[in-house]
Amino acid sequence: MNDTISKFLEVAADRTVTVVRNITDDQLTAPTPCAEYDVHALVDHLFQVIVNFKELAAKKDSDFGAAPEHLTGAWRGRFADETARLIEAWAKPGAEEGTTGSMALPARTVGAMVVGDLAVHGWDLARATGQPYEPDAALVGMLGTEFGALAPTARKMGMFGEPVPVGEDAGPFETLLAMTGRDPGWGRP
């Protein structure tokens, strides 16, 4: 796999879009490993992330303050469509260069953040709805490096929780989840 953000997004989206398509209406009120969100709220949040990070790829400002309701009508198909547009935005020349939006962070770091949101929240949603989720090893490696550098700032900003201890036998994805404040062994109540 090449190491562009758009290629990593394709891989993460492949898994997460499949999970979202298989969420049933009766699962929308289920809790998730991301304690502040149930399934409905987490999918809505992920929609907001996708739409805003598409703008950030184009070096435009984003509006995370507005939280419209996305789960109406054919929302599963719209989620797939918006995710495809996100990938296209990050594949454009220059998307990974310079800084982006009012975040004033390196574009590559911002791109890694949205790859991470797709992958980690994809796992959250899979766990909450009893679906399988097997991440790509190269994607996990990239996120481990990027999130390792970003974790202290992300915790200060409330984006990551405190790290969860894991055993020495924990794999790279379990370690990544724990770094973000998730219990890799979380199961549906």
Side-chain angles (χ1 to χ4, degrees):
M1 172 188 326
N2 72 34
D3 67 350
T4 63
I5 292 298
S6 63
K7 194 50 86 173
F8 284 122
L9 281 170
E10 284 178 17
V11 172
D14 180 57
R15 287 151 175 85
T16 300
V17 167
T18 299
V19 168
V20 169
R21 283 188 191 279
N22 291 317
I23 294 172
T24 61
D25 289 344
D26 64 319
Q27 294 173 322
L28 292 173
T29 58
T32 72
C34 199
E36 63 270 19
Y37 296 113
D38 65 8
V39 170
H40 181 282
L42 187 54
V43 174
D44 216 30
H45 166 72
L46 201 47
F47 255 114
Q48 182 183 29
V49 165
I50 289 166
V51 168
N52 280 291
F53 276 80
K54 180 178 62 176
E55 295 299 309
L56 291 170
K59 309 297 190 273
K60 297 178 182 174
D61 285 333
S62 56
D63 182 8
F64 285 95
E69 170 63 44
H70 293 99
L71 276 62
T72 60
W75 60 268
R76 292 166 186 87
R78 277 198 328 279
F79 183 86
D81 294 344
E82 286 295 340
T83 303
R85 287 197 256 312
L86 173 72
I87 295 165
E88 289 170 13
W90 282 95
K92 290 186 177 171
E96 292 188 43
E97 297 169 8
T99 59
T100 187
S102 60
M103 296 175 95
L105 291 171
R108 173 87 181 175
T109 299
V110 173
M113 290 166 65
V114 72
V115 171
D117 269 7
L118 267 179
V120 173
H121 289 322
W123 177 85
D124 289 332
L125 292 167
R127 280 295 189 158
T129 59
Q131 298 182 58
Y133 189 89
E134 188 62 39
D136 175 81
L139 181 142
V140 171
M142 181 276 286
L143 289 176
T145 301
E146 293 285 342
F147 279 19
L150 184 64
T153 303
R155 282 191 196 94
K156 286 179 189 171
M157 295 173 65
M159 294 167 48
F160 287 4
E162 289 302 313
V164 173
V166 292
E168 290 182 18
D169 61 338
F173 191 57
E174 288 83 10
T175 302
L176 176 70
L177 293 169
M179 183 189 318
T180 69
R182 284 165 177 77
D183 175 1
W186 188 92
R188 292 185 299 166

